[in-house]
Amino acid sequence: MNIIKTNFKTKFGPLAFVIFGSVFNPQAQASEFNFIQLHGMQATYGDIPGFELRGAEIRGGFGWNQFFTEFRYRSLDDRSGDRKLEDERWNISVGYAWPLSANLSVDLRANYGSIKLEGHGPDEYFISKPKYEGLSSYLHYSYSDNISLYGGLEWQNLPENADQKAYHLGAMYQFEVITLGAEYTKYSDTDAISLFARYQF
């Protein structure tokens, strides 16, 4: 019996220590969620032709252990002749991440946000300001020490509007201090592409 106990400790003791340390060490899991990120973005609406909206989006995140929260705000606009279209939205997420392997992880997020779409013209004006709640999930893959890829699926429940579904695809390259990346998002009625810089702390 002593031999069995000794072998168990020898074989599985280090593994248990690594698992325990990764789950209960906030710094080990939270570092990738502590960041500030700035996007330069361009978007188009399929049902509002003639506009290529441009602007910026800012994101910030904070994590503890495998839990995290993230905030996003973006403001885009464009003019087409004497017409103007503005897109302003914000979103806050609370999520949990699971490591699947040394270079693969998945997270699940609960989201709440608002979308404000406003159009101006000589003979027309409209504004839409729905709030929504929804869910999203992202898969993160570390291709190398510097390159990481991610993809996500999102669902938004908009009261009195058709539900929105989206997918997100992105890639990042990490330098010593700053990470640079690109992201593409396809909603039911919107395409958006952005280049971004991230500072992780």
Side-chain angles (χ1 to χ4, degrees):
M1 183 65 71
N2 289 335
I3 294 175
I4 294 175
K5 286 183 178 179
T6 302
N7 288 341
F8 181 85
K9 290 178 181 179
T10 302
K11 292 180 178 179
F12 297 101
L15 177 62
F17 178 79
V18 170
I19 294 173
F20 183 86
S22 65
V23 172
F24 293 99
N25 182 353
Q27 189 63 33
Q29 294 295 329
S31 60
E32 65 183 285
F33 300 116
N34 298 333
F35 68 91
I36 297 174
Q37 188 167 303
L38 182 63
H39 290 242
M41 183 176 290
Q42 176 178 302
T44 59
Y45 277 85
D47 54 353
I48 311 177
F51 291 96
E52 290 189 350
L53 295 93
R54 294 181 176 87
E57 177 173 286
I58 187 168
R59 302 180 187 178
F62 176 77
W64 185 86
N65 214 332
Q66 290 163 262
F67 293 93
F68 64 91
T69 183
E70 183 177 314
F71 178 78
R72 305 183 180 194
Y73 172 80
R74 90 181 195 189
S75 179
L76 312 175
D77 64 67
D78 187 31
R79 289 185 178 275
S80 177
D82 51 6
R83 299 186 304 152
K84 184 179 181 181
L85 184 64
E86 298 175 271
D87 177 345
E88 182 180 3
R89 60 182 69 188
W90 60 266
N91 177 87
I92 188 166
S93 304
V94 177
Y96 185 83
W98 292 267
L100 302 178
S101 68
N103 57 357
L104 190 65
S105 66
V106 64
D107 68 58
L108 179 64
R109 312 172 184 213
N111 308 310
Y112 180 76
S114 173
I115 302 171
K116 178 184 174 184
L117 190 64
E118 189 172 5
H120 306 262
D123 302 315
E124 61 178 344
Y125 172 79
F126 72 86
I127 186 169
S128 175
K129 298 190 293 184
K131 290 182 170 55
Y132 66 87
E133 63 276 344
L135 295 172
S136 57
S137 180
Y138 285 78
L139 189 67
H140 306 264
Y141 175 66
S142 297
Y143 178 77
S144 68
D145 290 342
N146 300 98
I147 300 173
S148 58
L149 310 172
Y150 61 90
L153 297 175
E154 182 179 357
W155 167 75
Q156 294 178 348
N157 176 32
L158 292 95
E160 301 179 7
N161 291 271
D163 289 353
Q164 286 263 42
K165 301 174 185 66
Y167 63 85
H168 308 262
L169 299 172
M172 298 188 293
Y173 187 92
Q174 184 174 355
F175 294 90
E176 289 186 3
V177 178
I178 298 294
T179 298
L180 300 181
E183 182 176 287
Y184 173 75
T185 300
K186 170 64 178 175
Y187 281 98
S188 304
D189 60 352
T190 316
D191 289 88
I193 187 167
S194 65
L195 300 176
F196 62 84
R198 166 187 283 216
Y199 173 72
Q200 210 160 286
F201 55 89

